[in-house]
Amino acid sequence: MHGTAAITPASIKAVRPLVDRFAHRTPLRDDELLGRRVDSPVGLKLENLQPTGSFKIRGAAAKVAGLSPDQRRRGVITASTGNHGRAVAHVARSLGVDATICLSDNVPAGKIELLERMGCRLDIGGSSQDEAFDRAIALADHPDGPILVHSILDPVVVSGQGTCGLEITEQQPGASTVIVPLSGGGLLAGTTVAVKSRLPSARLIGVSMEQGAVMHASIQAGRPVRLPEFETLADSLQGGIGTDNATTFPIVRDLVDDIVLVSEDEIAAGMAYALHEHRLILEGAGAIGIGALLSGRLRPDSGPVVVVCSGANAELDVVAGLAQRPNPAR
Ligand SMILES: *Cc1c(COP(=O)(O)O)cnc(C)c1O
């Protein structure tokens, strides 16, 4: 469906100029308190500050801005209601490209409203996100149909996410541990290829929630598996990796050093910490790396640590609740 899945240092460098037109080179913020806890310098890579609130703008920019004039005329299509859909809609709108998002019948009204405001065409139907995704694939599968923008199976998108890793090596050339939120592995695979090309001895660690960690289960099984979905604060980490994943699965299996799982309370503690200590709103997925360090589930080797804080789009009632708690690290 997506050709050969080549994610290489060269493919990541090649898309960087496109990514730089839409994404910020986000800051690496020094975190003294967390650094004292783990006895090494800790930097937070603040992808929550990106346009549309997550790193997904990188892959969307690489893919959509890289289309030929003929492909742009056909428009783009995807099935994500979350950060990937927002990022694709944003880049497409800036370039005057039509974007269609396929949704199931049970997507909440608030999400639909937000996507409508961003100017996308919505294609609503079917009872699950998997069905919506199958519709997107079917619509894209015509000679003149829209171009599919897949968040983890498209090597151009994953190469775009890898630009986050290039920035990390420039901002912290001594990085010895890089901690990355993990769902389908687009961010982790791209970041791993980029970081290891420049810092071969750096350790790359993926972090997922305890329940429904599909990549973790797949690595253990030795092949992509499916799991039921569970409710979680890290809702951006839900979803499958595809049964035929030749893109991110082999990279995570062969190059990533470890995958750590974190409980819901520990994710909440990560969010509360970011809010109290840094006055930053992080969604559950964005705070999961902090949660892994605070809880002691992840003990980095000595040497500088980088924690990718992947997104900001938390529900405000959840954030308000966490603001009532004390700082979990003080
Ligand atoms: C998509 C997303 C992730 C997970 O990215 P994958 O490439 O699917 O592993 C993590 N955090 C946030 C905020 C996201 O939107």
Side-chain angles (χ1 to χ4, degrees), residues 7 20 40 98 124 128 147 276 294 305 310 326:
I7 296 138
D20 283 344
S40 289
D98 277 348
I124 303 177
S128 72
I147 308 296
H276 288 277
L294 275 179
V305 179
S310 53

Side-chain angles (χ1 to χ4, degrees), residues 69-82:
D70 179 56
Q71 290 172 318
R72 287 191 191 191
R73 187 188 50 72
R74 289 159 58 184
V76 294
I77 190 164
T78 188
S80 155
T81 62

Side-chain angles (χ1 to χ4, degrees), residues 53-56 83-84 151-152 161 181-188 236-237 283 285-286 310-312:
S54 82
F55 74 88
K56 295 277 195 335
N83 289 334
H84 177 64
S151 68
I152 57 165
Q161 321 302 26
L182 171 62
S183 174
L187 180 61
L188 179 58
S236 290
L237 302 185
E283 58 179 281
S310 53

